[in-house]
Amino acid sequence: MNKNINVLKFGGTSIGSSPGIINIKKIIKNNLDQSNQVIVVLSAFSKVTDLLKSLLTRENTEHILEQISSIHLNVIENIELGTKELEIIKDIVNQ
C-alpha cells in the first residue's frame, strides 16, 4: 500500500496560542489516521521572531529572553499535557 507523505508547516499565529497548538495536534492526528506519513515543520510562535531579532540590537537581552520564555510557557500551560511532561518542558524553557 502506498502512503502519502504530507509536509505540514505551522508558524506564527497558528502556533501562538493554546487553541492553535491543540488544532495542530488534531490536524497531525487526522493525517496519521488516514495512514499518511507526516513531516511536521514548526517555525517561531507569534511575536517570537521579532523578539529574536531585537536580541541583536538591544542590550537588555535578559528581559527579551524572559518575554520569549513567558510566551512559550503561557501556551504550554494551556494544552493537554500530563504533569510530568509539563514539568520537563518548563525545566527546558527555564534553562
Side-chain angles (χ1 to χ4, degrees), residues 1-56:
M1 177 168 120
N2 291 335
K3 286 188 172 188
N4 292 326
I5 299 175
N6 290 342
V7 178
L8 307 174
K9 186 215 178 260
F10 305 97
T13 56
S14 69
I15 63 171
S17 67
S18 302
I21 296 289
I22 293 168
N23 187 51
I24 289 169
K25 178 182 171 183
K26 290 176 186 174
I27 292 168
I28 294 168
K29 184 178 182 325
N30 187 32
N31 273 269
L32 292 171
D33 288 347
Q34 294 176 19
S35 297
N36 294 319
Q37 293 180 340
V38 178
I39 298 170
V40 178
V41 179
L42 298 174
S43 62
F45 279 18
S46 178
K47 301 179 185 170
V48 171
T49 300
D50 291 336
L51 288 169
L52 290 170
K53 287 179 185 177
S54 69
L55 284 173
L56 300 172

Side-chain angles (χ1 to χ4, degrees), residues 7 12-13 15 17 27 29 34 44 57 67 73 76 80-81 86 91 95:
V7 178
T13 56
I15 63 171
S17 67
I27 292 168
K29 184 178 182 325
Q34 294 176 19
T57 59
Q67 285 180 289
L73 288 174
I76 290 165
E80 300 165 3
L81 292 175
L86 183 58
D91 287 343
Q95 288 183 6

Side-chain angles (χ1 to χ4, degrees), residues 73 76-95:
L73 288 174
I76 290 165
E77 287 175 348
N78 293 300
I79 58 177
E80 300 165 3
L81 292 175
T83 305
K84 182 177 180 179
E85 292 85 359
L86 183 58
E87 290 304 315
I88 291 169
I89 293 170
K90 282 183 176 182
D91 287 343
I92 292 168
V93 171
N94 288 322
Q95 288 183 6

